[in-house]
């Protein structure tokens, strides 16, 4: 099912359409097509058995017109330069869409963390920060967790950074453990932000939660929390998957119980559920499909079979341009990644604010701020989409690009 995946070309294609509709100048267009900096390093690490290995690592600083570069670090074999560049560009758009004062960046180390011990992961994380010396800083470039990176890994990275700069600087990284200045609510914020947006749509359409069936692909930070929050709200979770297994049960699955059993036995399992392939999961009977794993899942092959009428993109880049065109033609509402998963970066912004002021908020205070921020972004995009008669993705791009080019213009790039 995997089609040729060129995420940066996909970004450029989308940008070209937006640039035309907004009549961008060549200077503005170049600024949005070209990363400000691409930093590539070879990390030399020693395995537990003494073997030496070299891993390729990237940090792409895409655009900082609106504030410091901001974006996660991914540990994955597929994290090549093309992917990291596309994700960095998407971060610039995303931060503009939810109107937080950051630019866009992204990092990646190309390896399979599942094959490495905890001690090896710690050494890799510390080596990354040492090799990237001078790249990160509270006013410069602020990383965060992404696929297969955790608060603990952010903790190692902060510790290594502070050793190098010789002072406390918790705001140089977000998504870190609470004990080091992490924000309450950051762990569930990506999912919670997506749910706030989904609920705006559900309310606007007058839909009944109890009748809505949900399939979630991916059972990590984004997917697990989304499934459990929706389950608690009364939605019926009928499909779940992780990298090893996919489950379907039209009678409903309990994500919290499945999570507990995954922690005990290592696999997704639920009595009475049917084990299916990833393709079957995406094509399952449901109302809401939530891709929350990897990119390029909803393509020319899989999109025609999707039965959901709403897609909430918690993953970054789960829909290819062909998939997008199919959904538009079929009248399926796609809540695009730059909006759907922006609760993570919005709460990272709150974490950074708390670190700067050294005064911390309760979880309730964090979500009291997140809720209107996500709802406002949704309605701004919805209104733009109606006015311009475009998809929500196109509208989000228009809004994001407009805000970045306004900042560029204020810097003299017109
Ligand atoms: P994670 O590492 O916590 O979880 C990833 C999950 O995807 C795991 O459950 C894994 O088993 C599953 N997975 C991997 N390959 C799969 C496959 N082929 N089929 C089904 N499941 C598969 O990562 P995460 O933080 O939840 O990130 C998931 C997506 O959400 C990514 O695209 C990420 O960029 C995006 N995202 C995450 C955050 C965040 O705050 N965590 C914020 C914004 C966007």
């Amino acid at each position: 099912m995997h089609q040729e995946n060129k995420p940066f070309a996909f970004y450029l294609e989308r940008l070209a359409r937006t640039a035309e509709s907004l009549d961008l100048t060549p200077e503005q267009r170049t600024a949005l097509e070209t990363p400000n900096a691409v930093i590539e390093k070879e990390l030399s690490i020693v395995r537990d058995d003494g073997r030496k290995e070299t891993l390729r690592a990237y940090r792409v600083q895409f655009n900082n017109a609106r504030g410091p570069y901001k974006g996660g670090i991914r540990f994955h074999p597929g994290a090549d330069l093309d992917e990291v560049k596309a994700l960095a560009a998407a971060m610039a758009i995303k931060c503009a869409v939810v109107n937080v004062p950051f630019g866009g960046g992204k990092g990646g180390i190309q390896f399979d963390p599942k094959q490495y011990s905890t001690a090896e992961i710690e050494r890799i994380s510390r080596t990354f920060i040492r090799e990237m010396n001078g790249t990160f800083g509270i006013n410069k470039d602020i990383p965060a967790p992404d696929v297969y990176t955790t608060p603990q890994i952010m903790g190692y990275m902060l510790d290594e950074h502070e050793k190098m700069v010789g002072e406390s600087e918790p705001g140089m990284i977000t998504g870190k453990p609470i004990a080091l200045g992490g924000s309450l609510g950051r762990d569930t914020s990506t999912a919670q932000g997506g749910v706030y947006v989904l609920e705006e749509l559900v309310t606007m359409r007058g839909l009944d939660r109890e009748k809505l069936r949900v399939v979630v692909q991916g059972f990590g930070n984004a997917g697990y929390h989304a499934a459990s929050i929706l389950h608690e709200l009364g939605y019926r979770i009928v499909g779940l998957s992780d990298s090893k297994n996919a489950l379907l049960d039209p009678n409903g699955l309990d994500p919290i119980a499945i999570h507990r059993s995954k922690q005990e036995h290592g696999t997704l399992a639920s009595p009475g559920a049917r084990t299916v392939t990833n393709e079957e999961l995406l094509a399952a009977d449901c109302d809401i499909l939530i891709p929350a794993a990897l990119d390029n899942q909803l393509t020319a092959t899989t999109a025609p079979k999707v039965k959901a009428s709403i897609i909430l993109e918690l993953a970054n880049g789960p829909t290819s341009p062909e998939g997008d065109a199919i959904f538009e033609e079929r009248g399926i509402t796609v809540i695009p990644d730059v909006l759907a998963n922006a609760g993570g970066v919005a709460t990272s912004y709150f974490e950074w604010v708390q670190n700067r002021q050294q005064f911390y908020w309760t979880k309730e205070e964090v979500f009291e701020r997140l809720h209107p921020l996500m709802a406002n972004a949704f309605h701004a995009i919805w209104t733009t989409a109606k006015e311009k008669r475009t998809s929500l993705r196109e509208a989000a791009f228009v809004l994001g690009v407009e805000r970045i080019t306004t900042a560029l213009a204020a810097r003299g790039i017109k």
Side-chain angles (χ1 to χ4, degrees), residues 47-91:
R47 301 292 302 260
D48 288 343
D49 61 7
R51 269 181 303 139
K52 289 194 177 136
E53 246 181 33
T54 317
L55 306 178
R56 198 146 194 66
Y58 303 98
R59 183 71 182 173
V60 174
Q61 298 178 322
F62 204 85
N63 187 284
N64 63 349
R66 302 181 75 257
Y69 303 105
K70 182 84 191 89
I73 296 168
R74 177 174 289 204
F75 287 180
H76 197 270
D80 59 13
L81 182 55
D82 191 77
E83 178 175 286
V84 177
K85 241 171 29 173
L87 290 165
M91 282 307 296

Side-chain angles (χ1 to χ4, degrees), residues 211-229:
K211 295 202 180 109
L212 295 172
R213 298 156 306 160
V214 182
V215 167
V216 184
Q217 183 201 39
F219 205 58
N221 179 289
Y224 163 63
H225 287 120
S228 50
I229 295 169

Side-chain angles (χ1 to χ4, degrees), residues 50-228:
R51 269 181 303 139
K52 289 194 177 136
E53 246 181 33
T54 317
L55 306 178
R56 198 146 194 66
Y58 303 98
R59 183 71 182 173
V60 174
Q61 298 178 322
F62 204 85
N63 187 284
N64 63 349
R66 302 181 75 257
Y69 303 105
K70 182 84 191 89
I73 296 168
R74 177 174 289 204
F75 287 180
H76 197 270
D80 59 13
L81 182 55
D82 191 77
E83 178 175 286
V84 177
K85 241 171 29 173
L87 290 165
M91 282 307 296
I93 302 283
K94 191 185 301 181
C95 291
V97 163
V98 284
N99 215 1
V100 294
F102 289 138
K106 200 84 182 187
I109 308 180
Q110 225 177 338
F111 78 115
D112 180 2
K114 289 181 185 166
Q115 310 301 324
Y116 290 72
S117 71
T118 313
E120 288 169 335
I121 296 282
E122 176 175 353
R123 289 201 290 279
I124 292 167
S125 306
R126 290 184 184 277
T127 307
F128 176 78
I129 291 295
R130 278 200 305 278
E131 283 295 325
M132 291 280 167
N133 189 8
T135 303
F136 301 116
I138 185 166
N139 292 315
K140 203 188 258 180
D141 185 347
I142 305 142
D146 192 68
V147 175
Y148 296 140
T149 47
T150 57
Q152 176 60 78
I153 291 172
M154 300 302 107
Y156 299 144
M157 290 185 172
L158 174 63
D159 186 62
E160 201 59 34
H161 175 82
E162 288 184 342
K163 276 186 188 143
M164 288 193 314
V165 297
E167 56 188 55
S168 166
E169 195 187 336
M172 67 72 59
I173 201 161
T174 61
K176 55 193 169 286
I178 306 293
L180 298 180
S183 178
L184 293 171
R186 175 62 183 87
D187 49 351
T188 56
S189 60
T190 299
Q192 184 63 69
V195 171
Y196 286 146
V197 168
L198 179 68
E199 290 260 284
E200 291 299 313
L201 181 66
V202 164
T203 307
M204 228 168 62
R205 291 202 171 150
L207 303 172
D208 181 357
R209 285 168 177 175
E210 320 263 307
K211 295 202 180 109
L212 295 172
R213 298 156 306 160
V214 182
V215 167
V216 184
Q217 183 201 39
F219 205 58
N221 179 289
Y224 163 63
H225 287 120
S228 50

Side-chain angles (χ1 to χ4, degrees), residues 4 28 31 41 78 103 109 117 152 163 214 216 227 235 238 259 285 297 316-319 324 406:
E4 201 187 356
Q28 290 171 330
K41 298 281 178 185
I109 308 180
S117 71
Q152 176 60 78
K163 276 186 188 143
V214 182
V216 184
Y235 292 77
V238 295
H259 188 250
D285 252 326
Q297 298 298 300
N316 281 309
T319 309
D324 237 0
T406 304

